[in-house]
Amino acid sequence: MIKIDNLKKSYGKNEVLKGISTEIKEKEVIAIIGPSGSGKSTFLRCINRLEEPTAGVISIGGVEITDKNVMKMRENLGMVFQHFHLFPHKTVLENLTYAPINVKGVTKEQATKLGEELLTKVGLFEKRHEFPNRLSGGQKQRVAIARALAMNPTAILFDEPTSALDPEMVKEVLEVMKSLAESGMTMLIVTHEMGFAKEVADRVLFLDGGILVEDAPPEEFFSAPKSARAKEFLEKVL
Amino acid sequence: MFNFEKIVPSIPYILEGIGVTLQIVVGATILGLILGILLALCKIGNIKPLRWFAAFYTSIFRGTPLVLQLMLIYYAVPQVFDIQIQAIPAAIIAFGLNSGAYISEIIRAGINAVDKGQMEAAKALGIPYSKMMKDIILPQAMKNILPSLMNEFITLNKESAIVTVIGAMDIMRRAYVVGGSTFTYLEPLLIAGLIYYVMTLVLSFLGQMLEKRMRRSD
Ligand SMILES: Nc1ncnc2c1ncn2[C@@H]1O[C@H](COP(=O)(O)OP(=O)(O)O)[C@@H](O)[C@H]1O
Ligand SMILES: [Mg+2]
């Protein structure tokens, strides 16, 4: 469904992504792992064009992403950030309904209904009229996931969704993501939660130095990594 | 030493200047705000010529004396364009153009202070630029902008006293006129000073109220 062909990205002379190609099928859950600075965030952000790729082709559902159709594409491709980025001046429910109403033209009633359903799903219905700064980190991230879902996306990108959370809140967010994966959502997840990757991902992409070093099912990757770099990395983190 | 009795009959005349001063200050603020928003959008946008223009505009108006700008508009515009311009409209235009430069800097800084993640989250949701600015970025920037804007308004209120050089009948000018006709300058000037001071206090108070209201959503 998402096809990435020879994706390159440079910041000045610094080549951060050195030609990445892969294809993500519908309903696939992809864990992207690798050392800090290896280009994981840049890779995700090139997919929805928060960063402009230097070279390469990305297509979604057979349609090549260009500057012209990028806005339309973003409507159907959710993103969840490490630091949530909820809109602080809007209530939890308004965070969920703003984009459906203003981007997709959904009626307020419909958006509210869907928003409340999603909040129920992530266990935060009672918080719908609170402002985000009244929530804990874990709750904020669950709202952020619900906000992405409110656009009814075909896939969601996650950039270290649990890295900014206190340890006791990691689980509640991973639970939500797990049930999302089980419901058949296509997901690309940059994560350092190896247990979660092992359990939930269909495939692991291991990035190092801007190169896609390994692309394998988790059983294979975690028990018998092919490259020396992946072995070294796993020894450090496991 | 003081002889206020002599000028008591002239006090209502001086007070009438408040209307003129406010007319100039409010008019200039509205003009300055519109200009400031437009210039700020030019400054944060990606269109190079507009950025250059906005930067150039700001440096000119911040880099030359306000009294010079005022006199240029009052005396030079009629000479160049062959139209008459009254003192009050000239003052509104001069102060408006001038504070547009300062306000654009206030707004630009306020927008830049909003967490970059907000813009990214809005983009990732497919929210178009104009709606993102209007509904997501500017409401948050307002918290940073409002206190400085209120300061600018207060400064403008005081600085507007220089319209006296083009003969607009504001508080300052009237105090001066009363001084001239009664041959006592100290007392009317003190009264003018008191009026400006009270106006500043009132504006500061209103500004604080407004800020408190804005903070309620935190
Ligand atoms: N906006 C930017 N400007 C310049 N360099 C950047 C920028 N964003 C990321 N980089 C560089 O790109 C490399 C990869 O960054 P990133 O994709 O954030 O890595 P990761 O998410 O794997 O930690 C790093 O060396 C980083 O310094
Ligand atoms: Mg990163």
Side-chain angles (χ1 to χ4, degrees), chain B residues 7-33:
Chain B
I7 59 144
V8 163
S10 305
I11 289 177
Y13 174 76
I14 298 176
L15 284 174
E16 271 171 47
I18 294 176
V20 177
T21 295
L22 279 179
Q23 210 179 319
I24 292 168
V25 172
V26 170
T29 303
I30 292 169
L31 180 61
L33 209 52

Side-chain angles (χ1 to χ4, degrees), chain B residues 43-97:
Chain B
K43 283 176 188 180
I44 60 169
N46 284 329
I47 305 165
K48 282 262 164 65
L50 289 181
R51 284 168 75 151
W52 290 330
F53 169 75
F56 179 68
Y57 180 98
T58 305
S59 87
I60 291 290
F61 277 90
R62 293 208 301 186
T64 57
L66 178 52
V67 65
L68 172 85
Q69 296 160 20
L70 181 66
M71 290 176 84
L72 272 178
I73 284 169
Y74 187 63
Y75 294 112
V77 166
Q79 188 180 329
V80 175
F81 296 103
D82 198 29
I83 44 164
Q84 272 317 111
I85 189 162
Q86 301 296 316
I88 291 177
I92 290 175
I93 291 168
F95 283 105
L97 294 179

